Amino acid sequence: MEAIRQDFFATIFLTGAETILTEDAEDYLRNQPGGHPKKVNKAVSFSAIRDEAFELLYSQAPNEQKLEKLTELFVSSPTLIRQGRKPPRSKTSALQRLSFWKRKRKTVV
């Protein structure tokens, strides 16, 4: 139970650190002209910060070269913000759901 709690709080801490460390890259991408607006790819940034977390936290002074390299990585792999890109979900009837739970689910497991 304690390991789960520690993992949860470590993830919360790294998510906050990611927000702070990607702020400069977000500003740069937000001010780029042309095309779709861009934002930092959260999967890339979280993975990079997770890999470098010990070096960033345990060094006496923040390594400026390391921070610049991370910012360059965040800027080089942005995600496009596309408005109106949520396709409608198909609704299943109660009869289809019942059939799934009675028959098809058993074959998948």
Side-chain angles (χ1 to χ4, degrees):
M1 186 66 178
E2 189 65 27
I4 295 170
R5 182 178 291 143
Q6 287 177 353
D7 190 40
F8 173 76
F9 285 117
T11 303
I12 296 296
F13 178 77
L14 284 178
T15 303
E18 175 202 12
T19 302
I20 293 169
L21 292 174
T22 59
E23 188 174 352
D24 292 336
E26 286 280 356
D27 290 339
Y28 176 78
L29 290 172
R30 194 175 302 122
N31 295 327
Q32 275 190 326
H36 290 289
K38 298 174 181 127
K39 65 180 182 178
V40 173
N41 188 336
K42 296 292 185 182
V44 171
S45 64
F46 188 79
S47 176
I49 291 172
R50 184 189 64 216
D51 292 342
E52 303 292 334
F54 287 112
E55 291 182 30
L56 291 171
L57 295 175
Y58 288 118
S59 63
Q60 294 295 328
N63 189 349
E64 294 298 324
Q65 292 176 342
K66 181 75 68 183
L67 294 175
E68 287 176 14
K69 194 178 285 188
L70 284 173
T71 303
E72 287 176 16
L73 175 67
F74 302 153
V75 169
S76 68
S77 58
T79 299
L80 299 178
I81 303 172
R82 296 182 176 115
Q83 300 296 328
R85 290 289 297 239
K86 292 187 178 184
R89 291 186 171 199
S90 61
K91 304 267 182 180
T92 57
S93 69
L95 186 60
Q96 288 173 326
R97 287 188 301 246
L98 180 65
S99 175
F100 173 79
W101 285 107
K102 279 186 167 181
R103 295 173 187 87
K104 295 179 183 174
R105 180 177 159 264
K106 293 178 182 177
T107 61
V108 173
V109 177

